[in-house]
Amino acid sequence: MASIDIQDIRKSYGAVQVLHGVDLNIRDGEFIVLVGPSGCGKSTLLRMIAGLEEVTGGDIAIAGKRVNDLAPKDRDIAMVFQSYALYPHMSVAENMSYSLRLRKTPRERIQSAVSAAASKLGLDPLLERRPKALSGGQRQRVAMGRAIVRQPKAFLFDEPLSNLDARLREQMRAEIKKLHGDLGATSIYVTHDQIEAMTLADRIVAMHGGVVQQVGSPLDLYDRPANLFVAGFIGSPGMNFLSAHYVPGENGASVRLGDGTLIALPQKYTLAADEPVTVGIRPEHVELSDADGTGVDAGVELIEPTGFGTILHLTHHGLPFKVFTVDRTHLNAGPAVKVSFPPGHLHLFDGEGDRVTS
Amino acid sequence: MTAKSMVLTVAHRLAILAYIVFALFPLFWLLKVSLTPNDLLYSEGVRMWPSRVSFDHFRFVVAHSDFPIFFRNSLIVAGSTAIVVTILASLSGYALSRFAFRAKYWIVALMLLTQMFPLVMLVAPIFKMLSPLGLTNSLTGLVIVYSAFNVPFATFLMQSFFDGIPKDLEEAAKIDGATQFTAFRQIILPLTLPGIAATIGFVFTAAWSELLFALMLISGNDAATFPVGLLSFVSKFSVDFGQMMAAGVLALIPACVFFFLIQRYLVQGLTAGAVKG
């Protein structure tokens, strides 16, 4: 187990720069999730830590030792690939023991390590099989087994669950979390799935366009997103954004929507009057009432029942937004409803898209 | 099955049958002539099968001609060429498939260029080059020439097989603790066995049946390969068809045995199950 320190890491392919100076300190035993849309550089960063991509600039240190110029084999890390990358001509046991055999570990040690890992992952009956005789979930497990069989300094996961169906993904997610609890190993996990990020991470690193947007605990990112990108990326259904102008007001600040509707803010901010802002609110925080209730008028466009709750697609003067509610009485809402935006749940972003805090 | 699809299926099968008959008929004729005794060869007219068969031609070819020497020479030349070319093509195909390096484009273009000339054009220059080196009239010279001509195509063939193997596999091996070469040897090469078998088979048959250079570079029976040897059955006044065909049948055997041995790899997709699928 080890800490991983990343300092001002840059990566370019020719003239194209994909990572623009990433800083990150990962503590010993921490579970870090790199999350972001396709092409944000998260996989590149992971592959640079693994040693599979060369570092254009900056430093990577594992357990305090600079590893920029070390081959992957000398970094003592394990990695689980999205494609699993199992060796097709080897049995499950051989796949799992390959790294130990390369290190000339004594046979008895290999056997005990493989059987310990196999029983942890429920792979005992499959040890003699070839990968092609395994289901997707079993292959995934073997890939995990291959990683845990030697005790590396860190585990790297590159979207390991993307190829599984939803149910299996949920199950494996829980197993990975449990495994991390058992082994306490430093882990870096790359995903574009924000649910995986939220459920697994000690800390999430949200990335976009090769730049780290925010680092923090899952609830930090959920409750206090640093900018519009993080606010929109974390949470499903995504946060509603309404373009507005800041109104200082004498009896408390508010924002004015395009049609003149005022929405009260929880506090005053150091913004100029009439400055363009974006106000954000999560669908589950919007309060819904009948057309004769109080609040802002909205038309119902679409209702999506999910069983657990209901997602209502609404518009207010052409401005679309969503509401999520577990109250089933709203299943037949419409055609018009009233909504209100509790000030405590509003997020305010300035013209640059950054969160306004004071 | 409707009447129309039935008719189409039958027509399809008949077309395949016609093709197979067309392709195999010369081989059948080879066998037929080799088994026909000399006295019946010209006396019975055109018949699909002689009224009497004998193995005299085979006996003569094996016991009283230079054919065993030709056969041994061919085996040495074709076998060595196949091994040399496959080793070189595996390494260069892997490099072309996996590494980005300067002048890669030009190397590929040059290799392609070598495939564009009719071989006849090159006979004289090659003779001129090999002669002072003492490599004419030698099996080594033939192996070198055949290897040079087969490496480019074999490289492209191997490259396409390497391209088909997911890069993740060797990355996983490297993270597991392998060097680039160990990953190549222990992970990639075993998965390329079908490709290696195809390459060996292709090069072996090409070298086995090559006539032009063997004829031009070799004089005398000691270093002659069997395609050249076949010509020795043609004399000034007659052609000994029976013996020539018997030698031809014998020459088919190694190629058949060879493909029988490697057919398992040719049809097997070893990468199944490597990645999601």
Side-chain angles (χ1 to χ4, degrees):
Chain A
M1 305 307 122
S3 62
I4 298 175
D5 297 300
I6 295 165
Q7 267 180 6
D8 195 26
I9 276 292
R10 290 162 192 280
K11 178 70 187 177
S12 312
Y13 296 101
V16 185
Q17 191 165 2
V18 293
L19 285 179
H20 302 264
V22 171
D23 290 289
L24 195 57
N25 296 310
I26 300 167
R27 292 185 288 272
D28 189 5
E30 197 174 18
F31 200 115
I32 287 280
V33 175
L34 305 179
V35 69
S38 303
C40 71
K42 57 192 190 297
S43 279
T44 307
L45 179 59
L46 189 79
R47 291 170 57 81
M48 286 164 86
I49 297 169
L52 297 172
E53 297 278 350
E54 278 182 25
V55 175
T56 310
D59 281 320
I60 299 175
I62 300 177
K65 184 180 165 199
R66 185 175 177 275
V67 296
N68 283 32
D69 306 316
L70 283 189
K73 72 183 180 71
D74 300 319
R75 298 191 183 196
D76 195 16
I77 37 105
M79 183 157 165
V80 179
F81 290 79
Q82 180 179 358
S83 66
Y84 318 138
L86 302 180
Y87 313 128
H89 57 305
M90 296 184 190
S91 68
V92 167
E94 287 167 335
N95 260 286
M96 287 168 62
S97 63
Y98 185 62
S99 61
L100 296 176
R101 283 184 284 140
L102 282 172
R103 284 174 175 71
K104 306 248 185 302
T105 312
R107 191 183 293 252
E108 313 80 65
R109 282 261 309 281
I110 293 182
Q111 234 156 32
S112 66
V114 168
S115 62
S119 65
K120 208 181 228 16
L121 291 161
L123 289 170
D124 298 294
L126 308 174
L127 283 176
E128 293 314 312
R129 289 212 204 158
R130 291 279 172 92
K132 71 175 165 208
L134 302 176
S135 69
Q138 289 168 333
R139 285 179 201 175
Q140 220 290 325
R141 255 175 242 268
V142 177
M144 301 269 296
R146 191 167 64 178
I148 65 170
V149 80
R150 71 193 155 96
Q151 278 131 13
K153 289 202 183 107
F155 291 108
L156 309 180
F157 300 86
D158 191 4
E159 310 208 16
L161 306 183
S162 309
N163 285 345
L164 300 178
D165 62 52
R167 178 187 295 268
L168 210 49
R169 200 179 311 168
E170 203 172 294
Q171 188 189 333
M172 287 307 294
R173 202 171 68 205
E175 286 194 30
I176 290 176
K177 184 151 192 169
K178 200 161 146 278
L179 209 58
H180 179 251
D182 289 351
L183 302 172
T186 311
S187 305
I188 307 179
Y189 187 107
V190 162
T191 181
H192 58 260
D193 182 326
Q194 47 100 15
I195 300 282
E196 273 173 36
M198 293 293 285
T199 49
L200 287 170
D202 290 329
R203 278 193 302 159
I204 294 180
V205 179
M207 292 181 68
H208 182 50
V211 177
V212 171
Q213 305 290 321
Q214 188 172 3
V215 182
S217 73
L219 292 183
D220 243 6
L221 268 70
Y222 188 83
D223 292 338
R224 283 176 295 282
N227 54 37
L228 281 174
F229 169 78
V230 178
F233 195 81
I234 300 290
S236 173
M239 187 184 278
N240 297 302
F241 296 118
L242 307 170
S243 299
H245 291 270
Y246 182 67
V247 181
E250 281 176 18
N251 312 319
S254 58
V255 292
R256 192 179 60 246
L257 300 182
D259 66 311
T261 309
L262 287 177
I263 299 173
L265 294 173
Q267 63 172 90
K268 283 203 174 193
Y269 296 94
T270 51
L271 291 168
D274 243 12
E275 198 174 319
V277 291
T278 302
V279 63
I281 183 160
R282 297 202 176 275
E284 56 271 37
H285 293 149
V286 180
E287 284 174 4
L288 204 58
S289 54
D290 295 338
D292 48 7
T294 55
V296 179
D297 294 315
V300 180
E301 296 277 303
L302 185 69
I303 298 178
E304 293 180 312
T306 66
F308 167 64
T310 308
I311 303 167
L312 292 97
H313 295 244
L314 309 179
T315 56
H316 169 74
H317 290 273
L319 210 63
F321 62 99
K322 291 178 198 167
V323 177
F324 178 81
T325 169
V326 289
D327 184 351
R328 290 203 174 176
T329 57
H330 295 299
L331 263 175
N332 300 311
V337 289
K338 286 270 207 278
V339 292
S340 54
F341 305 106
H345 286 303
L346 291 179
H347 305 263
L348 197 64
F349 303 96
D350 63 19
E352 307 281 297
D354 292 325
R355 181 183 191 84
V356 184
T357 49
S358 59
Chain B
M1 197 183 268
T2 64
K4 192 183 169 197
S5 71
M6 184 92 95
V7 169
L8 281 176
T9 310
V10 170
H12 177 232
R13 299 289 146 84
L14 282 178
I16 292 176
L17 191 69
Y19 171 75
I20 291 173
V21 169
F22 184 76
L24 289 183
F25 189 77
L27 289 179
F28 164 73
W29 207 249
L30 184 82
L31 187 69
K32 184 236 157 188
V33 174
S34 71
L35 290 171
T36 308
N38 262 341
D39 52 336
L40 296 183
L41 203 52
Y42 299 105
S43 60
E44 283 199 314
V46 179
R47 290 179 60 153
M48 291 304 283
W49 199 247
S51 54
R52 180 161 55 82
V53 299
S54 92
F55 289 92
D56 287 349
H57 298 312
F58 288 95
R59 249 174 250 133
F60 182 85
V61 163
V62 172
H64 301 292
S65 74
D66 284 335
F67 187 80
I69 299 176
F70 304 151
F71 194 84
R72 188 204 64 191
N73 289 346
S74 269
L75 216 52
I76 293 173
V77 170
S80 313
T81 306
I83 291 168
V84 169
V85 169
T86 306
I87 291 173
L88 290 179
S90 304
L91 297 172
S92 53
Y94 181 72
L96 287 182
S97 168
R98 289 297 197 260
F99 304 135
F101 49 89
R102 214 171 295 166
K104 178 171 168 177
Y105 174 84
W106 293 106
I107 288 173
V108 172
L110 270 179
M111 282 179 19
L112 216 50
L113 202 66
T114 62
Q115 304 291 293
M116 293 177 184
F117 297 100
L119 291 182
V120 182
M121 273 174 62
L122 304 174
V123 170
I126 285 195
F127 188 86
K128 195 83 183 145
M129 280 160 61
L130 293 189
S131 179
L133 298 171
L135 287 173
T136 55
N137 219 8
S138 102
L139 296 182
T140 318
L142 275 188
V143 172
I144 292 173
V145 173
Y146 290 170
S147 299
F149 281 114
N150 280 303
V151 160
F153 181 79
T155 298
F156 294 133
L157 197 63
M158 286 306 297
Q159 182 194 349
S160 68
F161 281 104
F162 286 123
D163 284 345
I165 292 177
K167 227 177 162 178
D168 281 0
L169 287 181
E170 57 202 301
E171 291 185 343
K174 282 196 229 171
I175 285 179
D176 268 349
T179 59
Q180 179 93 37
F181 188 69
T182 311
F184 172 69
R185 201 165 50 81
Q186 296 186 346
I187 305 296
I188 305 304
L189 220 45
L191 297 176
T192 329
L193 282 182
I196 290 176
T199 306
I200 291 183
F202 172 81
V203 177
F204 185 88
T205 16
W208 182 258
S209 54
E210 206 281 336
L211 176 64
L212 181 64
F213 280 93
L215 197 60
M216 296 300 168
L217 297 177
I218 306 290
S219 54
N221 279 358
D222 284 351
T225 56
F226 105 87
V228 180
L230 281 186
L231 291 176
S232 70
F233 295 104
V234 183
S235 65
K236 211 167 192 176
F237 302 108
S238 69
V239 180
D240 206 328
F241 279 114
Q243 289 169 15
M244 189 194 254
M245 299 296 164
V249 171
L250 291 176
L252 278 177
I253 293 171
C256 291
V257 170
F258 194 76
F259 274 96
F260 180 75
L261 288 177
I262 63 172
Q263 55 92 20
R264 185 166 78 94
Y265 296 108
L266 282 177
V267 294
Q268 190 180 38
L270 254 176
T271 49
V275 294
K276 179 199 165 33

